[in-house]
Amino acid sequence: MPSPVSADRSAAQPPGRGSVEALIKQTRRLKGDVVAVRRDTHDDGSDPQDRWQRALYDLALHQLDDLDAHLAQLRDGPETAEAEPAEVPAPRPAPPGATPGSLLSRVGSAEWNFLTDEASWSGELYEILGRDPAAPALTLDELPSLVLDEDRPKLTAMVTDCLVDARPIDGEFRVVRPDGSVRTVHMMGEPVLGPDGGTTSMWAVLRDVSELRRHRRTVRESHDSLRHHRRRAQTERRLAVELQEAVLPPWRGSLRLPHQGPRTLDLAAHYLPATTGALIGGDWYDALELSDGATLLSVGDLTGHGVAVTSGMATLLGAVRGMAMAGTRPGELLTMLNQLLDATVQPALGSAVCCRYRPEDRSLVWAQAGHPAPLLYRDGTGRSLNAPDGVLLGATTGATYGQAEVTLEPGDLVLLHTDGLVAGHGSTSAVDRLLGLAPRFGTARTAQDCVRTVMEEFGAAEREDDACVLVARVTG
């Protein structure tokens, strides 16, 4: 049957969950065997050899308990382990008295005879406490001189309970070695009673558990830090979602713009969050009726994720709306948007496409900044519009942006999207997949039906980035 040391060394490797579960079962079977063997030992307290054997059994049970706990952490991971998470820091060089690469420490023993006032320590105990083996062993009255001030009451209480009430000793305290290092010592012991029932001596086994406790403390601190970062990320996501919901258009379903007149656009849009991350990105879509009766259509993406990016997106979208309402044409609008990004304290990159639709002549004037061009669907087929010049927003100081114009016809459909819509594909294949939806768009009755078709095709795919889609259908 494997020892705790060999089992622990096996657990130090990164086995699969099933292998760890097998080690846990093996450890617990071993614990049961040790308990059964200890139960069969003599317990009259008269034979020092029997006392030493029982102490070793008890110590083995402690070691197996520690190993069981660490294996459970390795199996369950930091999210489900109740005691400590499974993240164990890289091992440091083993201290004197510890077996390198193992949680099992060297064990020392001591006995204090109250009839002769003699103390006897094993060589291992001298090594654990950093004492000169040639020096006399310390008495129980002298032992607290090695212990940290705040731990002395604990040691005194354990010894008093043992001597006065004949209670076994089982506890930990910290000692200061002559070199100034502090070690944590686990002490187990029992009183030895004379014929009259009085305590004649006390024996104990001690082990250095400093590295084990340091590992547990480091893991606990790592777990606390992980929970702190997780709570912070959750708060940041909530703020980003609230900010995004406050900024994006409030309409859901279909929208017709302009609100009055026979020639309108049937509009629908959808936002898709990333599926592989928890943070919100900087994608947006927008449709807005302008003061001269024209309609603004725009989609864009500010690189990055989180509250800062969402806040930057809100700034850009607000600027787009304000400049468009003031009559700024798409090319000039993107030029000024690039200057805005270039002047921000925290520079960022972004892409956008901005369209201005005039219902009186069905003309669509548009510009793009490093963004996929609008897709035009007509008579059951689709094509990508020829893009005017335009680099990413924030990429070049003083960049200018060209414009293109196309005349739409009744029944035409224009689709704008951000590049996160089709995950895991290049831009060409993404466009081809979207253009392949033309026959289904041709049979759709509304822009909302077209958006549903896009979601059926792409909505379930894993995406590393957010995405937006905006569909505009010419109704008259």
Side-chain angles (χ1 to χ4, degrees):
M1 183 174 295
S3 69
V5 179
S6 62
D8 181 65
R9 285 174 178 166
S10 299
Q13 304 301 319
R17 185 182 180 90
S19 300
V20 175
E21 190 67 43
L23 286 173
I24 291 175
K25 292 180 180 179
Q26 189 177 24
T27 301
R28 292 176 180 175
R29 285 198 302 268
L30 184 57
K31 284 168 61 178
D33 293 342
V34 174
V35 170
V37 174
R38 188 196 185 286
R39 190 182 300 119
D40 293 337
T41 59
H42 298 289
D43 197 19
D44 58 9
S46 59
D47 188 345
Q49 183 63 30
D50 289 342
R51 293 199 303 269
W52 177 246
Q53 288 182 350
R54 288 200 312 277
L56 290 179
Y57 289 139
D58 291 340
L59 188 60
L61 290 174
H62 274 276
Q63 301 279 14
L64 290 169
D65 285 338
D66 290 336
L67 178 58
D68 191 7
H70 278 266
L71 288 173
Q73 293 165 17
L74 182 61
R75 175 196 63 192
D76 297 334
E79 293 185 358
T80 57
E82 293 183 358
E84 284 100 16
E87 298 176 11
V88 178
R92 296 181 180 178
T99 303
S102 168
L103 295 178
L104 184 61
S105 304
R106 182 169 296 174
V107 179
S109 63
E111 184 165 2
W112 291 274
N113 191 313
F114 304 126
L115 300 180
T116 63
D117 199 26
E118 292 178 342
S120 175
W121 287 4
S122 68
E124 288 83 0
L125 183 55
Y126 276 99
E127 186 174 349
I128 291 172
L129 300 180
R131 306 283 294 180
D132 183 358
L138 299 183
T139 66
L140 281 179
D141 291 334
E142 296 170 330
L143 185 62
S145 64
L146 304 180
V147 180
L148 285 179
D149 291 345
E150 54 265 38
D151 287 358
R152 287 178 186 174
K154 184 189 304 183
L155 175 61
T156 300
M158 288 192 300
V159 172
T160 301
D161 290 343
C162 180
L163 298 183
V164 176
D165 299 326
R167 295 181 183 176
I169 289 177
D170 189 350
E172 294 180 6
F173 51 87
R174 290 166 296 172
V175 299
V176 181
R177 292 157 54 99
D179 61 4
S181 61
V182 177
R183 311 303 296 173
T184 301
V185 176
H186 179 224
M187 182 177 181
M188 297 173 56
E190 291 182 0
V192 178
L193 305 181
D196 59 355
T199 302
T200 61
S201 64
M202 190 187 84
W203 61 269
V205 292
L206 301 94
R207 63 171 178 149
D208 184 346
V209 294
S210 304
E211 289 303 295
L212 176 62
R213 298 301 174 251
R214 185 189 64 79
H215 275 253
R216 287 188 173 181
R217 182 171 59 254
T218 303
V219 167
R220 184 166 52 250
E221 291 171 353
S222 299
H223 193 198
D224 292 342
S225 176
L226 180 63
R227 286 187 296 182
H228 170 74
H229 288 297
R230 188 173 293 139
R231 286 194 299 266
R232 181 176 177 179
Q234 290 171 346
T235 300
E236 184 174 348
R237 175 179 173 80
R238 176 178 56 81
L239 292 175
V241 169
E242 291 175 355
L243 179 59
Q244 183 187 66
E245 291 178 347
V247 172
L248 291 181
W251 49 273
R252 297 292 185 269
S254 295
L255 175 71
R256 287 182 178 269
L257 293 178
H259 294 293
Q260 295 180 353
R263 296 180 175 182
T264 62
L265 292 178
D266 176 23
L267 300 164
H270 194 81
Y271 169 83
L272 297 92
T275 59
T276 58
L279 295 179
I280 299 297
D283 290 55
W284 85 79
Y285 65 88
D286 196 24
L288 181 67
E289 183 177 353
L290 303 177
S291 56
D292 61 358
T295 297
L296 167 73
L297 304 176
S298 70
V299 297
D301 178 14
L302 192 63
T303 57
H305 297 85
V307 174
V309 172
T310 308
S311 177
M313 177 271 288
T315 300
L316 289 184
L317 185 52
V320 169
R321 290 170 174 171
M323 288 187 286
M325 192 63 73
T328 307
R329 292 172 61 83
E332 184 182 0
L333 189 153
L334 291 182
T335 299
M336 298 176 68
L337 208 61
N338 182 69
Q339 294 174 0
L340 176 63
L341 266 185
D342 191 50
T344 56
V345 177
Q346 293 181 332
L349 292 175
S351 68
V353 60
C354 183
C355 307
R356 187 181 183 93
Y357 175 73
R358 292 196 305 265
E360 58 269 19
D361 60 2
R362 301 192 188 92
S363 63
L364 184 76
V365 179
W366 67 284
Q368 63 84 28
H371 200 88
L375 305 181
L376 174 61
Y377 299 83
R378 177 179 294 171
D379 298 329
T381 61
R383 66 182 177 89
S384 178
L385 297 181
N386 294 325
D389 293 336
V391 299
L392 283 171
L393 296 171
T396 304
T397 301
T400 58
Y401 296 82
Q403 287 187 164
E405 184 172 351
V406 62
T407 300
L408 303 181
E409 298 177 1
D412 282 355
L413 186 142
V414 176
L415 186 148
L416 311 179
H417 69 94
T418 57
D419 56 9
L421 179 63
V422 184
H425 295 77
S427 58
T428 301
S429 61
V431 170
D432 289 343
R433 289 187 63 188
L434 285 168
L435 293 178
L437 299 178
R440 297 169 65 182
F441 287 165
T443 60
R445 294 184 302 172
T446 66
Q448 184 63 42
D449 290 339
C450 295
V451 169
R452 291 194 186 99
T453 298
V454 174
M455 292 304 101
E456 290 172 1
E457 185 71 20
F458 304 110
E462 286 193 359
R463 289 174 303 281
E464 296 181 358
D465 199 3
D466 300 10
C468 290
V469 60
L470 172 64
V471 172
R473 184 168 175 267
V474 181
T475 62

